[in-house]
Amino acid sequence: MTPQAYKTLVGAFVVGGIVLFTLGIILLGGGRLFNNDVEYVLYFDGSVSGLSIGAPVVFRGVPMGSVTQISLVANARDSNVTIPVTIRIDERSFIRASGRALSESAQQEIIRRMVERGLRARLQLQSLITGQYRVELDFFPDTPMNFRSATPDLEIPTVPSPIDTLQRTLARIPIDQLMGALSNILENVSAAVGNGQLKAGIEAFTATFTETQRLLSDSSLRHSLENTLSQVDGASRAMQKELPGALASFHSAMDNLAQAAERLRRVADSAENTLGRDSPTMNEVRRLLTESISAVRSLRNLADMLERNPEALLMGRQGKR
């Protein structure tokens, strides 16, 4: 082999090795070596059991990325343990209206604004059969925006999942007290059944119900009640028919009585000039005149009330209680 051919072969071998090394890096990196995917960290308060690396990240059902890392971090100061979950948002999830992909900084700015509007992450059951979970992104504007990492721009706040909320609610229920109360109720029922009180009560209720049904089905009692109601209805109609004429006559009499009272007042004025203002006779006349006027006013009020509410003669006047 000539030296020139040898050099050519070695060069081709080196170039091929470089190409294979580059392809290996790209393949081992999942084809994400030259992309603009952005990673965010999530901190969940509850258990992340059922969540695994590679679990999907969705936004209202639309795939956005996947879980890339689940860690366990111990804090030496307060002996607390946190579980940061790292997710990767696919750059292909964000495109411009023109169809072009966004840069990494533009994606981060969009996520930051969405977090300010209430974007939160939570665990969602993906399958009842396998018990696997996924990360769900959605807007919860009424939840607090709590950050726990040193880089808030690369963190998405979390909210409890529906399962966690249900578990916390069940944990606050006083099961022991409820079971104790239920046990007391069952003991009381058992005691009532044992001494015959419950049976006696049921029999008494049955007898009362049967007697009430018999009274309601009694034809003579029902016929008597219907006759009484018919008589009351006839009397009411007759009164309503005759009452307008009686009220008119009553009004006329009240007017005549008012005129007589006015004439009496005039006579009293004339007598006052003759007998004197402070004489016993004038005092008696004044008292009689005052009582007459009060009686006329009361009778007129009664007539007005009967004209507006004629059934008051039967049912009485319905005043405020």
Side-chain angles (χ1 to χ4, degrees):
M1 180 181 293
T2 62
Q4 184 65 30
Y6 178 77
K7 292 181 181 179
T8 302
L9 181 61
V10 171
F13 181 79
V14 172
V15 172
I18 294 175
V19 171
L20 291 176
F21 179 76
T22 303
L23 291 177
I25 293 178
I26 295 175
L27 292 176
L28 291 176
R32 300 181 180 275
L33 184 62
F34 302 105
N35 58 27
N36 293 323
D37 293 349
V38 183
E39 289 190 343
Y40 288 90
V41 63
L42 315 174
Y43 289 89
F44 293 102
D45 294 327
S47 174
V48 294
S49 176
L51 185 68
S52 59
I53 296 177
V57 178
V58 299
F59 176 79
R60 296 180 177 177
V62 179
M64 297 287 293
S66 60
V67 176
T68 59
Q69 185 178 0
I70 301 176
S71 305
L72 185 65
V73 178
N75 192 341
R77 291 181 301 177
D78 54 5
S79 300
N80 189 21
V81 176
T82 58
I83 305 177
V85 177
T86 305
I87 62 173
R88 178 182 288 117
I89 303 298
D90 192 350
E91 66 170 345
R92 292 171 295 182
S93 302
F94 295 94
I95 58 175
R96 298 181 184 273
S98 59
R100 294 182 299 172
L102 295 173
S103 63
E104 182 177 342
S105 60
Q107 294 180 38
Q108 292 181 3
E109 180 64 19
I110 291 175
I111 295 294
R112 185 186 66 80
R113 294 181 180 179
M114 293 173 69
V115 169
E116 291 179 351
R117 290 177 48 199
L119 180 67
R120 303 291 184 266
R122 67 176 183 179
L123 295 179
Q124 186 71 24
L125 185 62
Q126 184 177 358
S127 173
L128 290 174
I129 299 176
T130 62
Q132 296 296 314
Y133 280 80
R134 66 183 181 183
V135 176
E136 182 183 48
L137 301 178
D138 207 339
F139 287 101
F140 300 91
D142 297 330
T143 57
M145 187 169 53
N146 298 325
F147 296 102
R148 304 181 187 180
S149 66
T151 56
D153 291 340
L154 296 178
E155 179 183 353
I156 299 177
T158 62
V159 294
S161 65
I163 300 298
D164 289 339
T165 304
L166 179 60
Q167 291 177 348
R168 294 177 184 179
T169 302
L170 293 177
R172 290 195 295 265
I173 297 177
I175 302 297
D176 295 338
Q177 298 179 7
L178 292 178
M179 293 303 297
L182 181 59
S183 177
N184 292 333
I185 293 174
L186 293 178
E187 289 178 0
N188 294 332
V189 172
S190 177
V193 173
N195 56 24
Q197 293 180 358
L198 182 61
K199 181 179 179 181
I202 294 176
E203 291 177 351
F205 175 79
T206 303
T208 303
F209 182 79
T210 303
E211 183 65 19
T212 303
Q213 187 177 15
R214 186 186 65 80
L215 290 175
L216 292 177
S217 61
D218 191 351
S219 59
S220 60
L221 179 62
R222 185 168 61 250
H223 182 68
S224 177
L225 182 60
E226 290 176 354
N227 289 337
T228 302
L229 294 176
S230 177
Q231 292 175 5
V232 171
D233 183 64
S236 176
R237 292 182 180 179
M239 180 173 291
Q240 290 181 357
K241 182 177 180 181
E242 299 295 335
L243 190 59
L247 288 176
S249 300
F250 191 71
H251 269 293
S252 178
M254 291 303 99
D255 292 337
N256 294 333
L257 186 58
Q259 294 176 5
E262 179 64 22
R263 287 195 296 269
L264 181 59
R265 187 185 63 80
R266 293 177 183 175
V267 171
D269 293 339
S270 299
E272 181 179 358
N273 295 330
T274 304
L275 298 176
R277 182 178 183 84
D278 297 329
S279 63
T281 303
M282 283 306 303
N283 291 334
E284 186 66 20
V285 171
R286 289 195 192 95
R287 185 184 64 79
L288 179 60
L289 181 61
T290 302
E291 293 179 356
S292 299
I293 294 174
S294 298
V296 171
R297 184 178 296 111
S298 299
L299 291 174
R300 177 166 293 177
N301 292 336
L302 175 61
D304 293 338
M305 187 270 292
L306 291 177
E307 186 175 2
R308 293 192 304 269
N309 190 17
E311 62 272 13
L313 290 176
L314 292 176
M315 303 177 62
R317 182 177 180 180
Q318 302 295 324
K320 294 182 179 180
R321 296 182 179 180

